[in-house]
Structures are given as C-alpha cells and as structure tokens.
Amino acid sequence: MIAAELDVLDAEITMLYAEDHGGPTVLDWRRLRRAEARVTRAAADLTARTDPRRAA
C-alpha cells in the first residue's frame, strides 16, 4: 500500500513540474491514473485479507 501511494505522489510531483514546461502530457496523465488504480487495488487487497472477526 505504501509503495502504491508513493507512486501516486511521484506522479503528482511530475504533474506539478510539467506545469512549468507547457503542461502535463498524455503520458503524465496516464501515469497518474495507473498509480491511482494501483492504490485502489492495494486497498481492496488489504481489505480482502482482513479477518472479518477482528473488524467487528
């Protein structure tokens, strides 16, 4: 989960720097979307592995 969140942070930083150089490219946006999808998958996997008896 932490690695996925760091990927999002890295993609967001790249987007910020791209603003100074004409704006983000299509690949920058794709990288951000993929990183966000990784966070969503990691959160879903983490939730699926949680013991339901401990959640109550």
Side-chain angles (χ1 to χ4, degrees):
M1 182 74 179
I2 293 172
E5 289 176 343
L6 286 173
D7 287 342
V8 170
L9 180 62
D10 190 45
E12 289 173 340
I13 290 170
T14 300
M15 298 287 277
L16 289 173
Y17 282 123
E19 290 294 328
D20 294 338
H21 298 93
T25 65
V26 173
L27 293 177
D28 292 334
W29 286 108
R30 183 182 301 169
R31 181 178 179 209
L32 180 60
R33 286 192 309 269
R34 285 183 179 178
E36 289 172 342
R38 276 192 297 269
V39 168
T40 302
R41 283 192 307 269
D45 290 343
L46 190 60
T47 302
R49 286 189 279 159
T50 302
D51 185 4
R53 293 174 290 181
R54 294 184 69 195

